[in-house]
């Protein structure tokens, strides 16, 4: 498979396509960033509204029930205070309130120690809504001093109605209660307005737990209920119920966000906060109950809140990536197609470079730059072909002239050789008579004093004879140079 | 022949395993049967009794020849009631409670082991002011506790507190129904912190810092039991001390053991609270002067406790140190 980098280097289509894609990517990124930002805001806002609506709906549902309990207790309190001197009627009242309000667990109408002297130290008319019937008893003994319990003590001291934190009753004999209950407690006043007892109606926490836990706007969200001190009254993790408060983890490890959330919830505020737990963000939407001092919250993992946004993000990213890929392929295809004539031109140029000057450049009826290029290239090819023809002709002519010149050169060379040979021959022929002349001259020079006339004449004759020979040779040489083509002589 | 050799090897391996098991538990198994010993704590299962749990779980009692059963009191059966009715051999009591029972009710008790070296009582004011300066305020106190120091403070300093007796937890305080609450520094104090009640030192009155540092919990037996079972009593005390010393060296492992007892008793608490409790208990075990865990009753504190109680008419007669330690009989 071809190296991609090499492919890009060698392909204008790939380069152009990459540039187009790069620009598209930048545009997409900018557009998507803006889209994602506003989408995220919108999704977050919608999710928060959904969670808040669920929270408010749950709160309303629970508060309606709490209000019913309060109304029932308030109404019964009036009856109790009106009949405060009739202790036995308290049993009837405690039964009646349960008969009229079947969702209540129990009712206690309790008085100060010795308030009814005939009844002894302890007097609390208690009725309990069992499975099939309502049970009634007088509660209170040395082991169950009810006037020390929160449900009696707190409204008594505050002198106003009070929702007691959920609790589990002690096993003191008598009616056995296994539920965790919360109580709405009203102080009972005598005619002089002094608090002399407490009316308490009980509601099972299980009902709260079921109602609040059912508030689940998102698949992985869950609801919690905090008591006044931050105690977990409802929580999906049962190990936390009543055993921990929202502040417990911060006792050893400072956690300002958790503390702020706990403070806000326990302080009766509404709103939301973001917690970080186990590497994930949790959105906690909270709202207080109006009368109990409790606070309910819906905890939503961020992934649930932004699930639509994340889906949108994934879809868009997928579409963008696939789109860019397809665009890239399309660009390459189109550009390649558009540049096909250039390939043909390149092929033609290559052929021409190899010497195929008659290589025909394909015609084009395109009117664009490519068409112009093709036409220009065609003209260039024709012109080149013509020039090449002329050049070839000229080359042929020159080649012929060259041959002729070469021949003439050869002839000249031969003539020169002949001339040289002739000169050499002449020189050789001259050398003997010249040598004789030189010898005779030497003899005469050496012996002119001693030679006779006859000897002297003989030597001079010999010299004249050789001089004649040299003269003849020189005359031949002159004749040859005048004629221009020396003849070979022996 | 081969079969005989195999049997010898198997028996040898079994004996080796047994010896190793005994070694893991800290020593050789006792050769004589263990003596049953019932011990009752002063409250429900919590880190306050960690040393005893550890002594049981680590086999220190067993090594001392005792089969200890640890029980926790209920509202129907207090520690003294259980001691008196022989339902328990030893029980935890605060020093002043023991003095009260001995000096006022003629109980014959002997201290065999002392863990607390300091007072843990604190008055917490919800107004952030010194509780010892707020006369006439409503002070919540546990119904099941005698609250000696608070009563003594009230009478000595003429604070005119309105005592509000409550049964359990800190809700009466958090609800705003009272002005202050008496807590112990290892339990309710942290419950208030866990409820994020904003406490300042200015709003606290720590008895130990104001001349009221009286030791608290120790282990007591009836005098007749002390006389007839000296060895068991000594063994229990020594093993318990071993347990506490082990706790001081291995607090996290001790906490694991505590949580086991806490969960078995379904006590509404959590590990963080128990860890804080254990840390404070260990601090309270250190003598204020020596800084060491002395595990003893201080004679000066016995004298001081009697003096304070007698001063406000809480004690008919003085209980001496020797009497408390079983050396003297009245």
């Amino acid at each position: 498979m071809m190296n991609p980098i090499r492919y890009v280097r060698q392909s204008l289509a790939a380069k152009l396509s990459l540039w187009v894609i790069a620009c598209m990517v930048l545009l997409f990124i900018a557009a998507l960033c803006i889209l994602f930002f506003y989408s995220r805001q919108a999704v977050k806002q919608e999710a928060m509204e959904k969670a808040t609506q669920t929270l408010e709906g749950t709160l309303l549902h629970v508060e309606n029930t709490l209000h019913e309990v309060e109304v029932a207790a308030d109404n019964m309190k009036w009856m109790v205070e009106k009949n405060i001197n009739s202790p036995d009627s308290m049993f009837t009242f405690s039964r009646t309130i349960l008969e009229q309000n079947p969702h209540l667990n129990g009712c206690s109408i309790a008085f100060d120690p010795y308030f009814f002297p005939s009844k002894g130290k302890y007097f609390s008319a208690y009725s309990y809504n069992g499975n099939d019937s309502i049970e009634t008893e007088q509660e209170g003994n040395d082991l169950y001093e009810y006037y020390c319990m929160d449900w009696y003590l707190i409204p008594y001291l505050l002198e106003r109605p009070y929702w007691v934190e959920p609790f589990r009753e002690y096993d003191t004999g008598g009616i056995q209660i296994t539920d965790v209950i919360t109580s709405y407690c009203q102080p009972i006043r005598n005619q002089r307005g002094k608090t002399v007892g407490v009316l308490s109606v009980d509601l099972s926490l299980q009902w709260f737990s079921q109602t609040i836990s059912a508030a689940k706007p998102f698949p992985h969200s869950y609801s919690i209920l905090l008591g006044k001190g931050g105690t977990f009254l409802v929580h999906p993790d049962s190990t936390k119920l009543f055993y921990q408060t929202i502040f417990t983890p911060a006792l050893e490890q400072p956690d300002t966000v958790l503390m702020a959330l706990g403070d806000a919830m326990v302080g009766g505020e509404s709103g939301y906060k973001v917690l970080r737990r186990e590497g994930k963000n949790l959105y906690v939407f909270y709202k207080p109950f109006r009368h109990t001092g409790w606070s309910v919250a819906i905890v939503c993992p961020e992934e649930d809140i932004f699930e639509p946004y994340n889906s949108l993000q994934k879809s868009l990213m997928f579409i963008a990536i696939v789109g860019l890929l397809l665009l890239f392929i399309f660009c390459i295809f189109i550009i390649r197609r558009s540049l096909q004539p250039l390939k043909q031109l390149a092929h033609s140029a290559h052929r021409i470079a190899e010497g195929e000057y008659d290589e025909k450049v394909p015609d084009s009826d395109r009117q664009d730059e490519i068409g112009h290029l093709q036409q220009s290239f065609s003209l260039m090819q024709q012109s080149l072909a013509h020039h090449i023809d002329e050049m070839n002709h000229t080359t042929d002519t020159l080649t012929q002239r060259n041959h002729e010149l070469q021949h003439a050169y050869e002839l000249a060379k031969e003539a020169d050789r002949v001339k040289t040979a002739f000169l050499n021959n002449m020189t050789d022929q001259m050398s003997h008579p010249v040598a004789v002349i030189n010898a005779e001259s030497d003899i005469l020079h050496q012996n002119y004093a001693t030679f006779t006339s006859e000897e002297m004449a003989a030597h001079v004759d010999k010299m004249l004879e050789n001089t004649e020979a040299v003269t003849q040779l020189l005359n031949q040489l002159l004749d040859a140079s005048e004629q221009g083509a020396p003849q070979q002589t022996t | 022949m081969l079969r005989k050799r195999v049997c010898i090897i198997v028996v040898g391996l079994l004996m080796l395993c047994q010896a190793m098991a005994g070694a893991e538990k800290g020593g050789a198994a006792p050769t004589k049967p263990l003596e049953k010993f019932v011990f009752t704590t002063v409250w429900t299962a919590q880190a306050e009794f960690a040393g005893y749990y550890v002594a049981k779980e680590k086999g220190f009692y067993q090594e001392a020849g005792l089969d200890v059963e640890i029980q926790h009191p209920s509202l129907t059966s207090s520690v003294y009631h259980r001691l008196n009715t022989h339902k328990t051999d030893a029980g935890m009591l605060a020093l002043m409670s023991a003095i009260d029972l001995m000096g006022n009710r003629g109980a014959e008790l002997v201290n065999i082991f002392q863990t607390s070296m300091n007072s843990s009582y604190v008055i917490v004011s919800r107004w952030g002011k010194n509780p010892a300066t707020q006369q006439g305020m409503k002070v919540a106190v546990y119904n099941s506790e005698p609250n000696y120091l608070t009563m003594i403070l009230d009478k000595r300093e003429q604070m005119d507190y309105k005592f509000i007796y409550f049964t359990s937890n800190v809700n009466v305080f958090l609800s705003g129904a009272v002005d202050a609450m008496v807590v112990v520094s290892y339990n309710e104090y942290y419950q208030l912190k866990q409820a994020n009640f904003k406490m300042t030192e200015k709003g606290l009155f720590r008895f130990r810092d104001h001349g009221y540092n009286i030791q608290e919990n120790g282990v007591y037996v009836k005098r007749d039991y002390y006389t007839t079972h000296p060895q068991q009593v000594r063994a229990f005390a020594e093993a318990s001390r071993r347990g506490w010393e082990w706790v001081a060296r291995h607090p996290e492992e001790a906490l694991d053991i505590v949580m086991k007892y806490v969960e078995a008793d379904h006590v509404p608490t959590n590990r963080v609270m128990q860890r804080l409790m254990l840390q404070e208990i260990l601090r309270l075990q250190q003598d204020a002067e020596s800084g060491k865990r002395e595990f003893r009753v201080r004679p000066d504190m016995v004298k001081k406790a009697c003096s304070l109680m007698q001063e406000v008419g809480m004690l008919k007669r003085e209980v001496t140190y020797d009497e408390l330690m079983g050396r003297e009989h009245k």
Side-chain angles (χ1 to χ4, degrees):
Chain A
M1 192 174 164
M2 190 188 230
N3 187 326
I5 296 172
R6 195 174 155 204
Y7 171 73
V8 169
R9 275 190 186 155
Q10 292 179 349
S11 170
L12 180 61
K15 278 184 202 158
L16 284 175
S17 300
L18 279 176
W19 275 111
V20 168
I21 294 302
C23 291
M24 292 300 296
V25 164
L26 287 173
L27 279 171
F28 268 4
I29 287 172
L32 286 175
C33 281
I34 294 169
L35 174 70
F36 286 153
F37 175 76
Y38 286 106
S39 300
R40 190 180 167 90
Q41 298 294 105
V43 164
K44 183 177 168 182
Q45 188 61 31
E46 191 187 328
M48 284 167 63
E49 282 171 9
K50 186 178 176 185
T52 307
Q53 276 170 12
T54 306
L55 195 59
E56 283 173 357
T58 304
L59 205 65
L60 195 63
H61 181 47
V62 172
E63 283 198 327
N64 282 343
T65 304
L66 294 179
H67 182 65
E68 285 174 16
V69 171
E70 290 174 358
V71 167
D74 292 346
N75 290 340
M76 187 52 67
K77 178 192 147 168
W78 180 81
M79 290 292 292
V80 166
E81 287 176 345
K82 203 171 174 218
N83 294 276
I84 202 163
N85 295 318
S86 172
D88 288 332
S89 60
M90 302 303 162
F91 295 102
T92 309
F93 295 144
S94 72
R95 287 184 70 88
T96 304
I97 198 170
L98 294 187
E99 285 163 359
Q100 292 173 351
N101 301 276
H103 54 279
L104 292 177
N105 258 50
C107 174
S108 295
I109 304 174
F111 292 86
D112 284 345
Y114 301 110
F115 183 75
F116 300 110
S118 60
K119 296 293 182 184
K121 184 179 180 185
Y122 307 99
F123 184 82
S124 173
Y126 173 67
S127 290
Y128 173 67
N129 204 347
N131 288 331
D132 303 317
S133 61
I134 296 172
E135 300 171 48
T136 304
E137 67 168 8
Q138 177 176 323
E139 65 178 356
N141 50 49
D142 290 342
L143 299 174
Y144 185 70
E145 292 174 311
Y146 57 78
Y147 46 80
C148 296
M149 309 289 285
D150 285 350
W151 63 265
Y152 190 94
L153 204 50
I154 296 176
Y156 194 102
L157 291 169
L158 291 174
E159 294 189 5
R160 57 174 169 81
Y162 188 81
W163 277 96
V164 172
E165 296 288 282
F167 61 97
R168 189 175 269 120
E169 277 287 11
Y170 289 101
D171 177 8
T172 58
I175 297 172
Q176 298 299 314
I177 299 156
T178 54
D179 289 337
V180 175
I181 56 177
T182 180
S183 302
Y184 175 69
C185 310
Q186 273 272 27
I188 299 169
R189 295 188 176 86
N190 62 13
Q191 291 92 338
R192 290 190 296 276
K194 180 180 179 300
T195 302
V196 295
V198 169
L199 167 71
S200 167
V201 290
D202 309 328
L203 194 59
S204 170
L205 194 66
Q206 192 181 10
W207 178 84
F208 282 97
S209 182
Q210 286 170 353
T211 306
I212 288 168
S213 297
K216 204 174 170 70
F218 302 104
H220 300 102
S221 64
Y222 59 89
S223 302
I224 62 172
L225 178 67
L226 296 189
K228 295 186 188 71
T231 306
F232 289 112
L233 303 180
V234 174
H235 197 286
D237 183 356
S238 59
T239 63
K240 288 188 163 82
L241 292 178
F242 307 101
Y243 286 31
Q244 289 187 31
T245 71
I246 193 169
F247 305 106
T248 301
L251 284 175
E252 289 183 319
Q253 298 280 344
D255 189 332
T256 48
V257 178
L258 184 66
M259 292 297 287
L261 172 65
D263 279 340
M265 289 184 72
V266 169
E269 295 174 23
S270 297
Y272 82 94
K273 290 209 188 314
V274 182
L275 286 185
R276 187 134 184 101
R277 286 292 175 269
E278 295 172 4
K280 293 181 181 178
N281 283 340
L282 299 174
Y283 282 72
V284 184
F285 303 91
Y286 52 89
K287 222 169 158 59
F289 283 84
R290 272 176 301 158
H291 303 302
T292 61
W294 304 341
S295 183
V296 65
I298 293 179
V299 182
C300 308
E302 190 178 52
E303 60 202 29
D304 274 13
I305 286 182
F306 291 108
E307 199 274 333
Y309 165 82
N310 291 337
S311 296
L312 175 70
Q313 195 180 46
K314 283 177 194 165
S315 303
L316 279 179
M317 290 304 293
F318 176 75
I319 290 169
I321 290 168
V322 170
L324 285 171
L325 214 65
L326 288 174
L327 185 65
F328 179 71
I329 295 167
F330 182 70
C331 282
I332 285 186
F333 174 73
I334 292 296
I335 294 171
R336 250 195 191 163
R337 200 159 164 236
S338 297
L339 294 179
Q340 186 62 30
L342 290 181
K343 276 187 95 168
Q344 292 169 345
L345 286 176
H347 177 75
S348 297
H350 191 72
R351 295 277 294 161
I352 290 169
E354 286 175 350
E356 301 295 329
Y357 304 109
D358 293 327
E359 179 73 15
K360 191 81 172 96
V361 173
D363 293 327
S364 171
D365 54 1
R366 288 171 68 161
Q367 300 298 314
D368 57 10
E369 291 87 344
I370 302 293
H372 289 156
L373 182 64
Q374 277 183 302
Q375 286 161 15
S376 299
F377 203 87
S378 180
L379 277 175
M380 184 194 74
Q381 179 270 324
Q382 289 166 13
S383 175
L384 188 65
H386 176 69
H387 284 301
I388 295 296
D389 279 343
E390 284 185 359
M391 272 179 63
N392 286 339
H393 181 68
T394 306
T395 303
D396 290 341
T397 306
L398 285 173
T399 304
Q400 192 182 359
R401 293 280 167 85
N402 200 36
H403 281 311
E404 289 172 359
L405 282 172
Q406 183 72 21
H407 183 65
Y409 171 74
E410 294 296 329
L411 289 177
K413 202 173 164 184
E414 183 62 22
D416 186 66
R417 188 191 67 76
V418 167
K419 186 173 78 178
T420 304
F422 176 72
L423 283 174
N424 287 339
N425 188 30
M426 286 290 151
T427 307
D428 283 342
Q429 289 183 11
M430 280 185 205
S431 62
H432 177 67
V434 167
V436 171
I437 294 169
N438 276 341
E440 295 296 324
S441 297
D442 278 338
I443 292 173
L444 285 176
H445 179 71
Q446 285 171 11
N447 298 303
Y448 69 89
T450 61
F451 276 168
T452 62
S453 311
E454 285 84 23
E455 282 174 344
M456 182 105 40
H459 285 292
V460 169
D461 285 337
K462 204 174 185 177
M463 283 176 68
L464 286 171
E465 186 183 319
N466 284 286
T467 304
E468 184 63 29
V470 170
T471 302
Q472 282 180 357
L473 285 169
L474 284 171
N475 285 334
Q476 281 179 8
L477 192 63
L478 281 169
D479 289 339
S481 75
E482 282 175 1
Q483 286 173 7
Q487 300 291 319
Q488 284 281 356
T489 57
T490 56
Chain B
M1 187 64 179
L2 176 65
R3 190 182 286 182
K4 192 176 174 183
R5 279 186 189 171
V6 167
C7 284
I8 291 168
I9 291 168
V10 167
V11 167
L13 283 170
L14 283 170
M15 286 174 67
L16 183 65
C17 286
Q18 193 173 13
M20 284 171 69
E24 275 179 10
K25 285 211 165 178
T31 52
K32 56 179 182 179
L34 300 174
E35 277 214 47
K36 184 81 178 169
F37 190 93
V38 181
F39 164 64
T40 303
T41 66
V42 74
W43 199 236
T44 53
Q46 55 190 18
E48 186 184 357
F49 319 120
Y52 307 108
Y53 300 147
V54 162
K56 182 174 168 72
E57 298 296 317
K58 289 294 176 185
F60 300 156
Y61 290 136
Q62 203 175 17
E63 286 170 27
L66 298 175
D67 173 20
V68 171
E69 179 186 340
I70 301 175
Q71 294 182 346
H72 301 91
S74 65
L75 287 175
T76 57
S77 182
S78 68
V79 172
Y80 181 62
H81 175 76
R82 295 173 65 77
L83 272 171
N84 242 2
T85 54
H86 304 288
K87 285 182 182 160
T88 190
D89 299 308
M92 278 181 77
L93 290 168
L95 178 63
M96 289 180 108
S97 295
I99 290 172
D100 182 9
L101 288 165
M102 293 169 74
N104 291 327
R105 292 206 237 169
E108 293 189 338
L109 300 171
V110 177
N111 180 296
I112 63 168
F113 180 63
Q114 182 70 22
T115 50
S116 161
M117 296 302 292
N118 297 283
S119 171
S120 64
Y121 283 98
V122 183
I123 304 178
V124 180
S125 164
R126 72 176 296 105
W127 308 112
K129 295 178 188 173
N130 184 356
T133 63
Q134 296 179 72
Q135 286 163 320
M137 65 177 181
K138 288 184 202 150
V139 179
V141 292
Y142 266 102
N143 187 38
S144 56
E145 290 239 349
N147 300 289
Y148 298 106
L149 289 177
T150 313
M151 304 296 175
I152 290 168
L153 174 74
D154 177 52
K155 286 189 176 164
R156 284 181 102 208
E157 307 298 329
Q158 294 167 344
M159 296 304 301
D160 194 29
Y161 289 149
K162 306 281 184 295
F163 290 110
I164 306 296
Y165 293 91
F166 69 98
T167 309
S168 64
N169 68 54
V170 296
N171 290 336
V172 69
F173 179 80
L174 292 175
S175 70
V178 294
D179 301 303
M181 178 175 177
V182 177
V183 304
V184 290
S185 62
Y186 54 85
N187 195 355
E188 294 84 19
Y189 175 83
Y190 288 117
Q191 286 184 29
L192 290 175
K193 276 193 163 282
Q194 190 177 227
N196 203 31
F197 177 75
K198 307 279 191 285
M199 277 186 282
T200 60
E201 274 306 308
K202 205 173 154 190
L204 303 179
F205 181 88
R206 295 181 191 270
F207 282 91
R208 64 181 288 185
D209 295 336
H210 293 89
Y212 293 96
N213 193 20
I214 306 291
Q215 292 172 279
E216 292 171 1
N217 290 333
V219 181
Y220 293 81
V221 296
K222 292 208 74 181
R223 172 173 284 281
D224 52 1
Y225 186 91
Y226 179 75
T227 310
T228 53
H229 298 79
Q231 200 179 348
Q232 287 84 345
V233 153
R234 189 167 47 249
F236 178 81
E238 284 170 2
S240 298
R241 180 173 179 150
R242 256 185 94 188
W244 277 109
E245 285 169 345
W246 193 94
V247 168
R249 293 193 304 270
H250 308 91
E252 277 305 304
E253 289 172 63
L255 204 56
D256 292 338
I257 295 171
V258 166
M259 291 309 295
K260 196 176 110 180
Y261 279 80
V262 158
E263 282 155 17
D265 253 16
H266 306 289
V267 177
T269 182
N270 55 74
R271 195 180 175 97
V272 171
M273 288 291 291
Q274 292 303 307
R275 183 182 288 114
L276 292 169
M277 179 185 287
L278 185 61
Q279 287 168 359
E280 179 63 9
I281 287 288
L282 289 173
R283 262 196 298 271
L284 290 168
Q285 286 180 356
Q286 293 173 322
D287 182 74
E289 285 157 18
S290 69
K292 294 177 185 172
R293 289 193 179 84
E294 297 189 1
F295 298 108
R296 68 175 181 102
V297 177
R298 283 178 49 162
D300 61 318
M301 287 201 183
V302 175
K303 199 160 182 67
K304 190 174 193 174
C306 290
S307 169
L308 288 170
M309 290 170 79
Q310 282 182 307
E311 186 184 327
V312 298
M314 278 184 170
L315 190 62
K316 285 179 188 168
R317 66 163 183 90
E318 185 186 358
V319 175
T320 63
Y321 171 78
D322 286 338
E323 188 186 346
L324 196 71
M325 302 310 292
R327 294 171 199 164
E328 194 182 279
H329 182 55
K330 293 255 166 99

